[in-house]
Amino acid sequence: MLNAKLASKSHPEHQSRVRITDRVAVGGPELLIAAGPCSVESAEQMERVAVELAPAPVQLLRGGAFKPRTSPYSFQGLGLEGLQILDGIRRRHGVPVVTEVMSIPQLEAIAAHVDMLQIGSRNMQNFELLKAVGRSGKPTILKRGLAATLEEFVMAAEYVLSHGNPNVVLCERGIRSFDSYTRNVLDLGAVAALKQLTHLPVIVDPSHAVGLRELVAPLARAAIACGADGLIVECHPVPEQSVSDARQALSLDEMVALVEDLRAIAHAVGRRVAGVAAPDAMAA
Ligand code: PEP
Ligand code: MN
C-alpha cells in the first residue's frame, strides 16, 4: 500500500523510540502522558498545570501559543509571550513542553523555546512546513488531518523523516464523520494499523476526537488498551473558563485520576505508566 521507505516497519519488532529529553521518551514500554490546556493563557495558569500534574505524573506539558482557529475573530494565542511562558515552565519544573507550529516563520522561535513541536491537523499536508520541520530535527508530534487517509498521514510523516528528522510521533485525533454528536470519530483501527505498518510511536488525542469532557477518559482508556504509545489530553485549572475548547477540557484533578486509571490497563497490555514524578518535575 505505502511507498513509505522510512516510516515502514522493516520487521515485526521494529519500533522506534523518540527521545524528547534525557528522561522522557516515547515508543518504549513506558507510556507517554502529555497534558495541558488547549491554549497558553497566562503564566499563573501554566504554573498551576505544572504543579498539579507533576505527581500524576504527566511527562510532557502541552499548550498552544499560536492557535489555528476556525474564526479569525477567535483568540489566536499569546504568540511569543506564550512561548516565553512555556520556556519558563520547562526551566523551573524540569518538564518538557510541546506547542504547535503553524508556519515556517514561527519555527525558529518555537524551536528555541520548547522541547517538542506539534504539527496540527490543519497543517498535516502543508508540505513546505513538513520539510522545514524535517530540517529542524526537533522531536515532532504529527497530527492526522481532519479527513486524511492513513496513506496520506504516513506519507506526511515521510516528508519529515526524509528531510532529516527521525523524531516523528504520529497522533490520531479523530476524523470527520456524519454524526455531529461527538466532535470527531476516534479511529482506533488506525492506531492498530499504524502500529503494524510503521515503526513510529503512535499516540492518541481523545480530547479533539470526542470534544466532550465526559467522554475523554473512556476513549483514553480504550486507546491504551489497543496499543497506543501514549496520550495527549487537554485539561485546565478551571475548564469552563478555558479560552478555547472549553467543552472538552478536563479539570486537573480529573487528569490526575485518569493517569491513575490507566495503570491497570497499561499493565494488562504489557506497558506501564511512570511510577513517580521525576524529582525535578516535582520541584515548584
Ligand atoms: C490542538 O492540539 O490544540 C489542536 C488544534 O489540535 P488539532 O490540530 O488536532 O485540531
Ligand atoms: Mn484544542
Side-chain angles (χ1 to χ4, degrees):
M1 165 214 184
L2 305 173
N3 178 24
K5 295 189 180 75
L6 300 171
S8 298
K9 258 190 189 345
S10 58
H11 57 88
E13 270 73 60
H14 185 191
Q15 170 64 54
S16 288
R17 282 190 201 193
V18 170
R19 184 150 287 290
I20 302 163
T21 64
D22 287 353
R23 276 196 295 247
V24 179
V26 52
E30 191 168 291
L31 301 175
L32 174 74
I33 311 293
C38 182
S39 300
V40 175
E41 298 168 20
S42 67
E44 296 69 33
Q45 171 217 32
M46 289 308 299
E47 192 66 29
R48 269 192 72 185
V49 168
V51 169
E52 294 188 36
L53 298 187
V58 165
Q59 299 105 334
L60 175 67
L61 295 184
R62 63 151 288 150
F66 297 93
K67 295 300 303 176
R69 304 304 301 280
T70 300
S71 166
Y73 308 118
S74 300
F75 177 65
Q76 302 286 305
L78 293 181
L80 186 58
E81 186 191 345
L83 296 181
Q84 287 160 347
I85 291 170
L86 289 170
D87 205 353
I89 291 290
R90 72 200 263 266
R91 288 174 196 282
R92 279 196 301 284
H93 296 270
V95 61
V97 296
V98 58
T99 203
E100 177 163 352
V101 55
M102 294 201 299
S103 68
I104 296 173
Q106 295 166 356
L107 184 54
E108 199 179 323
I110 293 178
H113 286 291
V114 306
D115 302 278
M116 192 172 200
L117 307 174
Q118 174 176 315
I119 297 177
S121 294
R122 291 154 191 82
N123 271 314
M124 188 205 81
Q125 284 189 316
N126 180 338
F127 298 113
E128 292 305 316
L129 180 64
L130 296 173
K131 290 180 199 174
V133 166
R135 289 188 294 269
S136 80
K138 276 294 243 200
T140 299
I141 294 174
L142 177 64
K143 299 187 95 176
R144 183 179 182 183
L146 305 174
T149 65
L150 289 194
E151 180 161 17
E152 289 163 343
F153 189 18
V154 173
M155 293 314 284
E158 192 77 11
Y159 265 90
V160 181
L161 298 168
S162 64
H163 284 76
N165 187 350
N167 304 307
V168 179
V169 177
L170 301 174
C171 180
E172 161 59 32
R173 47 78 73 205
I175 47 173
R176 282 272 166 87
S177 189
F178 57 88
D179 189 345
S180 58
Y181 182 78
T182 57
R183 185 173 179 178
N184 290 292
V185 173
L186 181 61
D187 185 0
L188 289 180
V191 176
L194 291 166
K195 292 291 297 176
Q196 289 181 13
L197 291 168
T198 85
H199 59 88
L200 302 173
V202 180
I203 66 171
V204 167
D205 172 348
S207 307
H208 291 89
V210 76
L212 302 168
R213 71 173 61 84
E214 61 274 22
L215 299 179
V216 168
L219 291 195
R221 294 193 292 259
I224 298 307
C226 94
D229 295 294
L231 298 170
I232 182 162
V233 180
E234 286 189 349
C235 55
H236 191 283
V238 190
E240 313 72 50
Q241 288 175 19
S242 183
V243 299
S244 53
D245 287 348
R247 187 63 185 86
Q248 69 197 32
L250 298 184
S251 69
L252 301 180
D253 286 349
E254 286 166 339
M255 186 63 218
V256 172
L258 170 59
V259 178
E260 202 47 44
D261 277 1
L262 294 174
R263 289 184 192 282
I265 297 165
H267 183 72
V269 293
R271 310 297 288 272
R272 61 173 185 268
V273 173
V276 286
D280 282 5
M282 298 285 280

